[in-house]
Amino acid sequence: MHPARLISLFNSLAQLPLSSSSQNLATDNVSVIEGETATISCRVKNNDDSVIQLLNPNRQTIYFKDVRPLKDSRFQLVNFSDNELRVSLSNVSLSDEGRYVCQLYTDPPQEAYADITVLVPPGNPIIESRDDVVSEGNETELTCTAMGSKPAASIRWMKGEEELTGETTVEEMYDRMFTVTSRVRFSVTKEDDGVPVDCIIDHPAVKDLLAQRHLEVLYKPEVKILVAYPDGLTREGDNLDLTCIAEGKPHPHQINWLRVDEDVPPHAVVTGSDLYIENLNKSYNGTYRCVASNAVGEAYDDYILYVYDSRASEGAPQKIDHAVIGGVVAVVMFAILCALIVLGRYFARHKGTYFTHEAKGADDAADADTAIINAEGGHNNTDEKKEYYI
């Protein structure tokens, strides 16, 4: 038969009214990235030699059994048997998207539908900052754009390990393509200097797509005074050597030494960030301040000088630890209390009965005089009284 007449016959068969029943015929929807290959599988259970064919969204026959009437060579037969017709479509484009039809010529005929969805990944995201450099405490704004995707991409923001919330707008373009823009605003601190901000694109057609920008934050100096000499107490006659460490962004352009509420001693030597004073005496006592400044602001650190007598012992005077003293006293008192309890119990167990010689016979006497007369020996001279312990 002439090929043109064969195609006409196939298309005529395709226009026949078919039952929507799909008891024995099955297929699957397909998602494919633009430019890649999609595979459509028409599967039949318990086929009784019925004819299987595949139609495109325009209901043109792609394959009739194992024959391809359609001239589009991107369609290729992968497998044909009584139970399956499997066809691949290479180099998929947006125009290939739609509903494909698997037909089985039974009585009644059957159809099953496979929807091909074409995914288009966005281009490389573009991240822009409103400010190239921002000072600490101020707010900055970043914008990220993902262009030309299908479906629309979603955008997430990360600042270091912290997730940020952005404001997103979606614009639909031609052929159901989308451009997505997200903006994020936040205040910065000096700790944010050099921290990466990531614009992360989530899309089913692509993984690990992001754009990154490092923050550049200006901040006022951080100042610290270090004692180069002496190591311990500052005594009369000693020398004092202080160094001022100042870090900031930009680097401090000016470092000054001053004495709070008083003038710096006239023979003090200031060399850059160092302060040197010879032959200390108590008149130099006071607060010495190092002040550093840059374009963002200024900061300072203080050193309190107290000059001791030249005979002062090394190290600061020891403080009395009242807690330790209180603990010792409590232990001593507890020991004394325990000793008293033990002694009391001992004497209670060894206690005797005490009688005097003159008290003998007192129980049988009518009164005290009679008791004395009845006492053994009958003596009433107190100088000769004897006492007994029983």
Side-chain angles (χ1 to χ4, degrees):
M1 183 180 292
H2 193 277
R5 294 185 61 188
L6 182 61
I7 294 174
S8 177
L9 175 61
F10 291 156
N11 290 334
S12 298
L13 290 173
Q15 303 302 319
L16 292 175
L18 299 174
S19 171
S20 60
S21 172
S22 57
Q23 295 177 358
N24 296 320
L25 183 63
T27 187
D28 300 303
N29 294 329
V30 179
S31 293
V32 59
I33 298 174
E34 184 182 34
E36 297 187 0
T37 299
T39 300
I40 303 172
S41 174
C42 301
R43 300 180 301 278
V44 182
K45 293 182 179 179
N46 305 319
N47 191 9
D48 55 357
D49 295 330
S50 297
V51 175
I52 308 172
Q53 75 168 348
L54 177 65
L55 310 178
N56 68 12
N58 297 322
R59 300 192 71 89
Q60 296 173 322
T61 302
I62 301 172
Y63 267 91
F64 183 85
K65 301 179 69 174
D66 58 350
V67 179
R68 176 169 56 85
L70 199 65
K71 293 183 179 180
D72 192 340
S73 62
R74 295 180 304 145
F75 290 98
Q76 294 294 321
L77 184 65
V78 178
N79 181 54
F80 175 73
S81 67
D82 289 341
N83 297 319
E84 184 185 38
L85 171 62
R86 191 189 314 165
V87 177
S88 66
L89 171 60
S90 61
N91 195 22
V92 175
S93 66
L94 283 173
S95 62
D96 297 319
E97 193 171 65
R99 171 165 288 188
Y100 290 73
V101 183
C102 293
Q103 285 187 346
L104 180 65
Y105 284 96
T106 59
D107 186 17
Q110 299 178 38
E111 285 189 356
Y113 305 102
D115 291 326
I116 289 185
T117 301
V118 180
L119 308 176
V120 181
N124 290 329
I126 301 172
I127 188 170
E128 297 175 324
S129 177
R130 183 183 64 189
D131 311 295
D132 292 334
V133 180
V134 59
S135 298
E136 64 173 332
N138 291 341
E139 185 180 78
T140 189
E141 178 181 291
L142 282 80
T143 303
C144 185
T145 304
M147 300 180 63
S149 68
K150 178 179 175 297
S154 61
I155 296 178
R156 294 182 292 118
W157 291 94
M158 294 293 294
K159 184 184 75 171
E161 300 297 324
E162 176 187 0
E163 185 166 1
L164 304 176
T165 302
E167 299 175 358
T168 302
T169 58
V170 179
E171 179 185 359
E172 185 172 358
M173 304 169 66
Y174 61 92
D175 287 340
R176 291 164 291 170
M177 303 282 280
F178 297 90
T179 292
V180 181
T181 301
S182 180
R183 291 181 176 82
V184 66
R185 300 179 183 88
F186 56 91
S187 297
V188 299
T189 65
K190 63 184 178 183
E191 288 78 15
D192 292 325
D193 184 45
V195 172
V197 177
D198 295 333
C199 165
I200 304 170
I201 307 301
D202 293 325
H203 192 273
V206 68
K207 294 182 179 179
D208 302 324
L209 186 61
L210 61 84
Q212 187 177 83
R213 189 181 186 94
H214 287 81
L215 296 173
E216 186 171 356
V217 181
L218 304 180
Y219 53 91
K220 66 183 182 180
E222 295 178 311
V223 184
K224 183 175 181 61
I225 296 176
L226 301 179
V227 182
Y229 186 84
D231 292 333
L233 297 180
T234 49
R235 302 183 185 86
E236 288 184 305
D238 283 347
N239 300 329
L240 178 66
D241 191 358
L242 302 178
T243 298
C244 182
I245 306 298
E247 297 292 339
K249 188 171 183 179
H251 190 76
H253 61 268
Q254 189 172 5
I255 296 178
N256 294 323
W257 283 97
L258 58 89
R259 186 180 179 189
V260 178
D261 299 330
E262 297 183 69
D263 294 331
V264 175
H267 67 281
V269 178
V270 177
T271 306
S273 59
D274 296 336
L275 173 65
Y276 182 75
I277 305 175
E278 289 184 333
N279 194 21
L280 293 174
N281 62 62
K282 294 186 177 181
S283 66
Y284 297 160
N285 289 346
T287 301
Y288 291 79
R289 176 172 296 175
C290 172
V291 182
S293 59
N294 62 10
V296 181
E298 70 174 28
Y300 65 86
D301 190 25
D302 288 341
Y303 171 78
I304 299 176
L305 174 63
Y306 183 84
V307 180
Y308 290 85
D309 291 336
S310 58
R311 294 169 296 177
S313 61
E314 185 64 33
Q318 296 183 351
K319 296 182 179 180
I320 297 175
D321 195 332
H322 296 286
V324 174
I325 294 176
V328 172
V329 171
V331 170
V332 172
M333 294 300 294
F334 180 75
I336 293 173
L337 180 60
C338 291
L340 290 175
I341 293 173
V342 171
L343 289 174
R345 292 175 63 87
Y346 176 81
F347 286 119
R349 289 183 178 183
H350 295 79
K351 180 175 66 175
T353 305
Y354 180 84
F355 291 97
T356 61
H357 180 69
E358 55 210 343
K360 295 185 68 175
D363 292 337
D364 299 328
D367 53 34
D369 293 335
T370 306
I372 294 173
I373 295 171
N374 291 339
E376 188 176 344
H379 300 288
N380 58 2
N381 189 347
T382 58
D383 293 336
E384 296 180 1
K385 286 190 294 184
K386 294 183 180 180
E387 295 179 349
Y388 300 91
Y389 290 93
I390 298 175

